[in-house]
Amino acid sequence: MSNWLDEVKFDSNGLVPAIAQHHQTGRVLMVAWMNREALQLTAEKNQAVYYSRSRQKLWHKGEESGHFQTVHEIRLDCDADVIILQIEQHGGIACHTGRESCFYRKLTPQGWEIVDAQLKDPSAIYGAAAKTHTQDAQANEQVDVLEHLGRLMQQRKAADADNSYVASLYQKGINKILEKVGEESVESIIAAKDYAVHASSENQNELIYEVADVWFHSIVMLGYFDLAPQLIIDELARRQGLSGLVEKANRSSDA
């Protein structure tokens, strides 16, 4: 086994990048790192073993998630410094975000867009002790959802009003849109009052549903003026570190 390992050009840290590719579809599922021991174990076990740079230890893929990778073939590139694994992904999930592939974002004229559905909630895979980077990725995806809705509003402006609810609102004008924002706001208040009186799961779900309606129709309203939701995110970010009194005073002086 040592002869073939000697042909691999590990970097100054003793690592080589390893690309995991679905052995049937050819889709790239993830990229990780291997040291000499990880590569040798992968060949011996026919299961992917990587090296975690953050934890400084070997990482048997699937040891926490149960999503092991059976290795059908190992290839080395022409420069001998990149490994490709032809694998079968057990559970159909390679990414810690709960998706088939780690490469779930596609570059569009509007920026990076999430194009793959989440197959499983990471908390259901890793439990309550899910990694911080998983939580960070979810936060980024939530921002992406707002950006997607912002782009959707612009598309719906040109859509057929008979086939699109949002297009029908734009056709009816700003007064109808504002009417819907007000209507959903009142329904959110009622749902909040009901939840305050009786904190049942049913009332909680109703409150979440109604607040989502307020947010959605507010984004429709922003779209009417060609304003992106990111502007609201930026404003909320700007307020971080300011006390409520200072923020209120600033708004009053601006007015």
Side-chain angles (χ1 to χ4, degrees), residues 125-145:
I125 300 173
Y126 301 102
K131 301 292 185 294
T132 302
H133 63 264
T134 299
Q135 297 167 345
D136 291 342
Q138 290 174 321
N140 289 334
E141 289 162 22
Q142 290 159 6
V143 174
D144 287 341
V145 168

Side-chain angles (χ1 to χ4, degrees), residues 129-167:
K131 301 292 185 294
T132 302
H133 63 264
T134 299
Q135 297 167 345
D136 291 342
Q138 290 174 321
N140 289 334
E141 289 162 22
Q142 290 159 6
V143 174
D144 287 341
V145 168
L146 293 177
E147 291 177 351
H148 170 73
L149 285 173
R151 294 193 296 269
L152 184 66
M153 297 308 146
Q154 297 306 311
Q155 296 169 8
R156 290 294 186 267
K157 281 187 173 182
D160 185 349
D162 293 331
N163 297 321
S164 167
Y165 169 70
V166 173

Side-chain angles (χ1 to χ4, degrees), residues 149-150 152-158 165-174 176-177 219-226:
L149 285 173
L152 184 66
M153 297 308 146
Q154 297 306 311
Q155 296 169 8
R156 290 294 186 267
K157 281 187 173 182
Y165 169 70
V166 173
S168 70
L169 286 178
Y170 283 134
Q171 185 182 71
K172 292 173 184 175
I174 187 61
K176 183 61 179 178
I177 295 171
I219 293 173
V220 174
M221 175 187 64
L222 290 172
Y224 180 88
F225 299 108
D226 295 327

Side-chain angles (χ1 to χ4, degrees), residues 185-198 203 206-208 210-211:
S185 298
V186 170
E187 291 180 1
S188 292
I189 293 170
I190 294 172
K193 294 283 285 184
D194 289 342
Y195 187 50
V197 172
H198 181 49
N203 284 344
E206 184 65 18
L207 175 59
I208 292 169
E210 295 299 344
V211 172

